[in-house]
Amino acid sequence: MKKYSCLVLLVAPLFSMAQTPLLTLQEAIAAAMKNNFEVVMAKNEASISSINNNWGAALPVVSAGLNKTLASNNIQQELANGTTIKRDGASVNNFNAGLAVSWRIFDGMGMFATKKRLEELEKIGELGFRRMVNQKAYEAIAAYYDIVRLKQQAIATKEVISLYQERLKIAETRFNVGSSAKPDLLQAQVDLNEQKSLLLTIENNIVIGKTLLNNILARNPATEFETADSFSHARPVDIASIQQKVNAQNPDVLLAQGNLAVLMQTKKEINALRLPSATIGGNYNFVRNKSAAGFNLLNQTYGPSGTFGLQVPIFNGGLIKRQVQVAAINIQNQQIALEQLHNQLNSSLTNSYLNYTNGIKLVEMEKQNLVIVKENNYINIERFKKSSITSVELRQGQVNFSNAQTRLIDALYQVKVSEAEMMLLAGEIMSE
């Protein structure tokens, strides 16, 4: 029974891990693009812009009216021919109905500028949605790789702990046989406890990182999942191609260009107010007034009518002129903002590419360095067993081993995050 109990204790953690679903990077990106709360709201905003883009302002306005009046009046009338009419409680029955059509057929081409502005606003809504999708996909990638980084650090720390445990055993043996002082033993224990504390911190940060990723994916923060244990290989980067894409398809650039187009159409709408406008209208009315007493007992009219109106602006205190001047300044500011944005994006791309290339170099260097440090550390342990080196020298070698692992993991993380940043700037993070 003891054997079976031990077997259960050994297998249970493995079974528990097997039940935890694996979340791939592609699945995380897809979930962020589809379910993130800000993405959903941006999609709704884009839908509003699409709904507003119509010719409603240029179409005729049709209205219908109906009015029914019933009354009881006391009437007293004296007519010019000497007739006197006096009656109490005379009933009145009036009925009016009509259909009216009004259509501004010309407004100085303002309706076309308005429609074009609405089209640009619809594009801006779509670009805003795309920008949000890209941003949240990037955040999902960064959060995912941060968990991978922490898991790598946990593995590395466990390896360091095993080395510190071996050092502690050697220190205990040497202290028990009287070949070393107790401070060496105590320092070995302190260093081991420090690494165990570091491991607990890393494991806690892994849980926090998973909570953050769940939030980005719009999932329950407590949703259990596992990520990959290592970083994927770095992809080759064509910086010239990415530079062109940043200038041509970056969502922020396209949004700025869209805002510039909206301002230009707004200026055209204002200019249209300087030109004459023409309106045509049509009506069909039916009026029936019936009274039980009075001069007119029945009055009924019905039939169509039409109108044509022409409005010519002559003077309005220079209001339109001032509005045009303000619109021109807004256009100029937006053009400057667009140039500033190009400069900022190019700077960000340069920094990301430098971080990427530097990270590639660091990875190769730290891999080689780790091999050297690891070999040196094993040599130091054997020398420490033979009392050829002090505990301080052994400890320094172990610290170097731990630092080399950390630098390698950080370099791998830097490469992947810089890679994602460049794709974000190029507006292609959705195809990650």
Side-chain angles (χ1 to χ4, degrees), residues 78-125:
E78 295 180 359
L79 305 182
N81 59 6
T83 303
T84 300
I85 301 174
K86 184 176 182 181
R87 183 172 176 178
D88 295 336
S91 62
V92 177
N93 188 339
N94 297 335
F95 177 78
N96 301 324
L99 182 67
V101 178
S102 178
W103 187 8
R104 178 171 290 185
I105 57 176
F106 181 76
D107 64 349
M109 307 302 290
M111 66 181 70
F112 297 102
T114 299
K115 183 60 171 65
K116 184 63 177 178
R117 177 173 59 84
L118 293 175
E119 292 175 358
E120 294 296 338
L121 288 174
E122 181 179 2
K123 293 178 183 178
I124 287 175

Side-chain angles (χ1 to χ4, degrees), residues 95-168:
F95 177 78
N96 301 324
L99 182 67
V101 178
S102 178
W103 187 8
R104 178 171 290 185
I105 57 176
F106 181 76
D107 64 349
M109 307 302 290
M111 66 181 70
F112 297 102
T114 299
K115 183 60 171 65
K116 184 63 177 178
R117 177 173 59 84
L118 293 175
E119 292 175 358
E120 294 296 338
L121 288 174
E122 181 179 2
K123 293 178 183 178
I124 287 175
E126 295 171 352
L127 289 170
F129 169 64
R130 176 183 170 186
R131 179 183 183 277
M132 184 60 66
V133 167
N134 278 359
Q135 180 62 37
K136 293 307 170 182
Y138 166 76
E139 291 179 10
I141 292 172
Y144 188 95
Y145 278 129
D146 188 53
I147 297 172
V148 175
R149 177 181 66 85
L150 291 169
K151 292 177 73 172
Q152 288 277 297
Q153 286 185 343
I155 295 172
T157 303
K158 290 176 182 178
E159 187 175 358
V160 172
I161 286 175
S162 66
L163 296 177
Y164 276 61
Q165 287 173 335
E166 184 175 1
R167 172 185 158 200
L168 178 61

Side-chain angles (χ1 to χ4, degrees), residues 162-177:
S162 66
L163 296 177
Y164 276 61
Q165 287 173 335
E166 184 175 1
R167 172 185 158 200
L168 178 61
K169 290 179 182 179
I170 297 173
E172 285 177 337
T173 302
R174 294 180 61 183
F175 174 72
N176 291 333
V177 299

Side-chain angles (χ1 to χ4, degrees), residues 234-239 242 349-365 411-412 414-419 421-422:
R235 299 185 300 182
V237 172
D238 183 355
I239 187 63
I242 294 178
L349 178 60
T350 300
N351 293 336
S352 296
Y353 183 68
L354 288 174
N355 288 333
Y356 173 81
T357 54
N358 183 63
I360 293 291
K361 295 176 183 178
L362 286 174
V363 167
E364 294 304 317
M365 184 178 67
L412 289 166
Q414 176 180 316
V415 169
K416 298 308 296 183
V417 172
S418 299
E419 188 179 88
E421 286 175 352
M422 287 187 286

Side-chain angles (χ1 to χ4, degrees), residues 16 53 81 109 121 131 169 182 227 232 251 274 295 309 350:
S16 176
N53 180 20
N81 59 6
M109 307 302 290
L121 288 174
R131 179 183 183 277
K169 290 179 182 179
K182 190 172 184 179
T227 64
S232 59
R274 292 173 165 174
F295 185 77
T350 300

Side-chain angles (χ1 to χ4, degrees), residues 159-177 179-196 377 380-381 384-385 391 394-395 398:
E159 187 175 358
V160 172
I161 286 175
S162 66
L163 296 177
Y164 276 61
Q165 287 173 335
E166 184 175 1
R167 172 185 158 200
L168 178 61
K169 290 179 182 179
I170 297 173
E172 285 177 337
T173 302
R174 294 180 61 183
F175 174 72
N176 291 333
V177 299
S179 62
S180 68
K182 190 172 184 179
D184 289 345
L185 173 61
L186 296 177
Q187 186 61 53
Q189 184 65 64
V190 169
D191 291 341
L192 176 59
N193 291 341
E194 182 182 359
Q195 292 300 314
K196 289 182 177 179
N377 193 69
N380 285 343
I381 289 178
F384 185 66
K385 290 179 181 179
S391 61
L394 176 60
R395 179 179 183 275
Q398 292 176 331

